[in-house]
Amino acid sequence: MLNLKVEIDNNSGFCFGVVYAIEMAEEILDERGYLYCLGDIVHNDEEVKRLEAKGLKIITHDDLGELKNESILIRAHGEPPSTYELALNNNLTLIDASCPVVLKLQNRIKNSFDKKEKIYIYGKHGHAEVIGLLGQTSDEAVVFQSIDELDIETLPKSLTLYSQTTKSTDSFYEITKTLMEAGITVNSNDTICRQVSNRDRELRDFAGKFDHIIFVSGTKSSNGKVLYNVCKEQNPSTYFISNADQLDSDWFGSGETIGICGATSTPMWLMEQVKERLSTF
Ligand code: SF4
């Protein structure tokens, strides 16, 4: 036995936006036994499997076009206006679990668009939240996931910058600085969710306290990638896993300390499972 000393980060686990969506889904599932959800309810395959076993049916936007007279859950990432229009046309009832933080950002972007500002969104191409944000501008805003995608010479002299809620705060401020140094007037809006940026700081402290860090997250989670990198910077012996089966006892030495943490989409029960598995090494 390796007698590992294992601790789960108290600040890890679902953010309030995800808790809200999952609680809403479970309440309906308990009542009706099934519920459609547009896209993965959370970017964590293990949690999705758990909810599918209770009757959750994940559907795509194409599937949505085929449904009529049903109720559909909108997950925390939010949706563009076109989804609400489609629902109206097909007599679908949307159960809206869009996170309030995302809804507020959608409104801000819509206001900027109405004022005819030149809108740039720092976010991941094709990410559900970004599609919802872009929809507020009739898809006219420019989305970029790296400053290298922008041709600084041809950018407008004045622009409004927003961020997807789960991007890295450091990168956002770096981008703002680069644009300003190029002589561009930037109306820079740090719209990164505090559930992510605060966790960034807390994780730096946490990750430094252990011999190894096990970062638990789904591979599709945006903030999972950001927060994993935060841990890895702080503690080079950080491992990314999505479930307990991916653990390898060769990673650890006798009596070493292990910290377990995760993304805003990582369920606490999954981190508990990882802890339990470690206790068998
Ligand atoms: S990370 Fe923030 S914005 Fe995203 S769902 Fe959670 S609380 Fe909402």
Side-chain angles (χ1 to χ4, degrees), residues 4 6 212-216 239-252 258-260 270-281:
L4 302 169
V6 186
H212 308 280
I213 290 293
I214 303 296
F215 189 87
V216 189
Y239 297 92
F240 185 106
I241 63 165
S242 296
N243 60 55
D245 292 340
Q246 293 170 348
L247 286 167
D248 185 339
S249 57
D250 288 346
W251 295 344
F252 317 113
I258 320 280
I260 301 173
L270 190 56
M271 289 184 281
E272 302 277 3
Q273 266 187 5
V274 170
K275 185 177 181 190
E276 224 171 276
R277 185 68 62 88
L278 287 169
S279 71
T280 64
F281 287 170

Side-chain angles (χ1 to χ4, degrees), residues 14-19 21 75-78 97-103 105 129 164-166 191-197 199 223 264-265:
F14 290 152
C15 60
F16 66 76
V18 171
V19 168
R75 60 188 169 172
H77 290 320
S98 301
C99 174
V101 177
V102 174
L103 287 179
L105 174 55
E129 181 193 318
Q164 181 183 347
T165 56
T166 47
T191 47
I192 293 151
C193 175
R194 293 297 162 249
Q195 296 267 313
V196 177
S197 55
R199 193 168 292 190
N223 78 87
T264 57
S265 50

Side-chain angles (χ1 to χ4, degrees), residues 7-13 199 202 206 260-261 268 271:
E7 187 182 320
I8 298 178
D9 174 28
N10 283 333
N11 297 310
S12 286
R199 193 168 292 190
E202 290 155 0
F206 181 79
I260 301 173
C261 49
M268 192 47 85
M271 289 184 281

